[in-house]
Amino acid sequence: MASPLPLAPDTPDPEFRDLLAQRPQLTAHAQDGLCLEDVPLARIAAEVGTPSWAYSANTLRRRYRALRDALGDAGLRATVHFAAKSNSNLAVLRVLAGEGAGADVVSGGELRLTVAGGIGADRTVFSGVGKTAAEVREALAANIFQINAESAEEVEMLSAVAAEMGLRAPVAIRVNPDVDARTHAKITTGKAENKFGVAIADAAALYARMASLPGIRPIGIAVHIGSQITEGVSAFRAAYARVAELVTALRGRGLPVERVDCGGGLGIPYRDEVAPKPEALAGAIAGALKHLDLPVMIEPGRWIAGPAGVLISRVVLVKHGATRRFVVLDAGMNDLLRPAMYDAWHGILPVGAELFHSARRPADVVGPVCETGDTFTRGRDLPELRPGDVVAMLDAGAYGAAMSSTYNARPLAAEVLVDGNRWAVVRERQPFEDLLARQSVPDWVAG
């Protein structure tokens, strides 16, 4: 099993210029400082305040097209369904809808968001281990494209709900191929001990059971082995090979298989990882599944949205401890949870032009939340930051705002979409009054 990436890796951190070279959406201007596309991040910080998220529309487009084109070049009939759990901002969804993307959702709420963002239910896959009957009714009424069933118990529930509605639910079985994706233990999903999917040895019998049930239209096999997979594509190949064997066996029994859902999980280089290219993933899919002559689907989230976003934050103070320098930001773990939850590494760049080439020395970058775990990095080489200076945390477009909370009564940060030299606030900063609006005190409580 892969070990989590430490907050202070043993190897030297990438230089600022190296972080920029790998991220064409970011540039450092001599006067304007760090820019996302053609918009200075200092301008966003000044006008919108901090912390704030900023997303690059052209990065979303470019990366979606790279996946789509790689699949097409491999000779696959393929569709790309953006994993809304990674970033469900309506403007982000609308950008991808304009590119023709479908969606992958894991709740009724995400289905409503993707439809509002312009991605119809007829282009949406509904995944997840805990769908409720109410969510299934809503999805079926909206003409959902596909429901991925993750257990025999769920199949029975889907049959009952669809039959009650007089419909046939389009259902694929998500199989668990018992493949180690060698990613962080908290985001691996394809091993035998994980809660996701049906054991692949049991899948054929369950698929045959689906074919006999009222209200079910068996349409295919789905698989997803984990997130942030960077150690080549061998795990993908192994999983898809097992899926191909299963599809062949189902066809041998005269059971219909319309398509294969290949899931997501393609990793990105947050630090200096050598992540697989879309062409490698497409090759793994084609090598294992192309001979079946079936349409395939992929469900990327992080690969599309991660590099498109940054979290802009301001230095509150710099605390000099006995042995360490602490840079305290106004962004905390309630904003960007990944370092606290996964020991994740994010690049941190100063926004001001005068700091980009300044001398650096180690600092611990922390947030204001009352938790020791509210630490973004330890021992990172950074300039002599002062209160009021602005920094950007990179590759925060996926599982950033989507995982935010109001812990410590900290309202949700604003979100901004950048498109060339244009930018707009696409989610206002949450007012504190919202934290009180849905609370009440019973009249029998004293005080």
Side-chain angles (χ1 to χ4, degrees), residues 41 99 171 175 235 239 271 274 304 324 336 338 364 373 435:
L41 293 179
E99 294 295 308
V171 180
V175 298
R271 190 172 181 265
V274 181
I304 291 175
R324 310 184 76 86
L336 182 61
R338 295 190 70 255
D364 292 2
L435 302 183

Side-chain angles (χ1 to χ4, degrees), residues 226-401:
S227 185
Q228 183 54 10
I229 298 169
T230 58
E231 294 194 15
V233 294
S234 59
F236 289 116
R237 286 197 192 98
Y240 300 150
R242 295 180 188 180
V243 168
E245 292 172 0
L246 175 59
V247 171
T248 300
L250 293 174
R251 285 174 162 178
R253 297 174 62 170
L255 295 168
V257 181
E258 297 180 19
R259 52 183 175 260
V260 174
D261 182 345
C262 296
L266 191 64
I268 62 173
Y270 284 98
R271 190 172 181 265
D272 51 7
E273 306 94 323
V274 181
K277 301 293 185 184
E279 293 78 9
L281 176 63
I285 296 172
L289 301 172
K290 189 176 178 181
H291 70 282
L292 298 174
D293 193 27
L294 287 173
V296 298
M297 308 145 60
I298 62 169
E299 299 165 359
R302 181 193 318 270
W303 199 90
I304 291 175
V310 297
L311 176 59
I312 311 167
S313 182
R314 195 177 296 276
V315 177
V316 175
L317 58 87
V318 179
K319 175 183 175 180
H320 297 278
T323 60
R324 310 184 76 86
R325 176 173 63 131
F326 296 94
V327 175
V328 184
L329 303 180
D330 62 2
M333 64 184 286
N334 70 295
D335 300 299
L336 182 61
L337 182 59
R338 295 190 70 255
M341 188 169 185
Y342 305 121
D343 293 323
W345 194 98
H346 284 266
I348 301 175
L349 292 178
V351 166
E354 71 282 1
L355 293 171
F356 202 81
H357 300 288
S358 299
R360 284 165 253 168
R361 64 187 183 90
D364 292 2
V365 181
V366 302
V369 171
C370 193
E371 297 278 353
T372 303
D374 186 25
T375 298
F376 294 113
T377 189
R378 299 188 183 98
R380 185 76 59 88
D381 281 345
L382 290 170
E384 293 291 342
L385 296 166
R386 302 174 300 275
D389 286 338
V390 179
V391 299
M393 282 181 270
L394 310 185
D395 305 311
Y399 306 104

